[in-house]
Amino acid sequence: MATVSLDLPNHPLAAGLCRSAVNTVGKTLSGENAVLLGLLTNELVTNSIVHAPDSPRVLVALMLLDDRVRVEVTDQVDGRPPTLEPLSLNRTSGRGLYLVDELSDDWGVDRSDGTRVWFELLLRAPVDVALSSRKN
């Protein structure tokens, strides 16, 4: 198991700092896995910054396991628990957890020490398009 841990200031620039680290990990994954890892991690870090402005830090842990990658984003506020809102095309925000719910293989919230939102992506092998489109 490989783990990358980030201790970021609760500031809008934290999402960009996190993206750089996630992109480094993402280079070891297939294309779809790397894109989902970056998108969903960015959504959770941004949610933490927006919804927990009193938290001085945002902690991010990326764990590369044999068959999946797990990401945990923790803020240090025991505020209102994150909730999955229905998708609305009339709002300009509020899609972060919706994306996590739809695109990850599993996710949840742990409120034992601040608020930790996590997700997991099963690592899928890239599809070989040349083999799948070959005529017999």
Side-chain angles (χ1 to χ4, degrees):
M1 173 175 76
T3 302
V4 174
S5 297
L6 304 169
D7 183 345
L8 304 168
N10 189 340
H11 186 276
L13 293 177
L17 295 171
C18 184
R19 267 192 304 277
S20 296
V22 170
N23 288 340
T24 300
V25 173
K27 288 178 184 177
T28 66
L29 306 176
S30 71
E32 178 183 333
N33 291 320
V35 170
L36 288 175
L37 177 65
L39 172 68
L40 300 181
T41 303
N42 187 67
E43 290 296 333
L44 292 187
V45 170
T46 300
N47 280 356
S48 188
I49 292 165
V50 170
H51 297 291
D54 295 335
S55 177
R57 315 294 301 165
V58 175
L59 307 174
V60 181
L62 291 94
M63 292 157 270
L64 191 54
L65 307 167
D66 290 336
D67 63 341
R68 67 191 181 281
V69 62
R70 179 181 174 100
V71 175
E72 299 176 351
V73 177
T74 306
D75 60 55
Q76 299 164 323
V77 175
D78 293 324
R80 193 180 109 220
T83 56
L84 181 60
E85 300 290 333
L87 181 63
S88 170
L89 299 177
N90 296 323
R91 291 192 323 226
T92 58
S93 65
R95 293 181 182 88
L97 283 182
Y98 176 82
L99 290 172
V100 171
D101 184 59
E102 288 294 314
L103 299 174
S104 71
D105 293 294
D106 197 10
W107 74 279
V109 179
D110 176 9
R111 305 216 37 235
S112 60
D113 183 26
T115 301
R116 176 180 297 116
V117 183
W118 58 269
F119 71 86
E120 292 185 348
L121 296 173
L122 296 177
L123 298 177
R124 295 167 180 85
V127 175
D128 188 341
V129 177
L131 289 177
S132 65
S133 64
R134 187 181 334 165
K135 294 182 182 180
N136 293 328

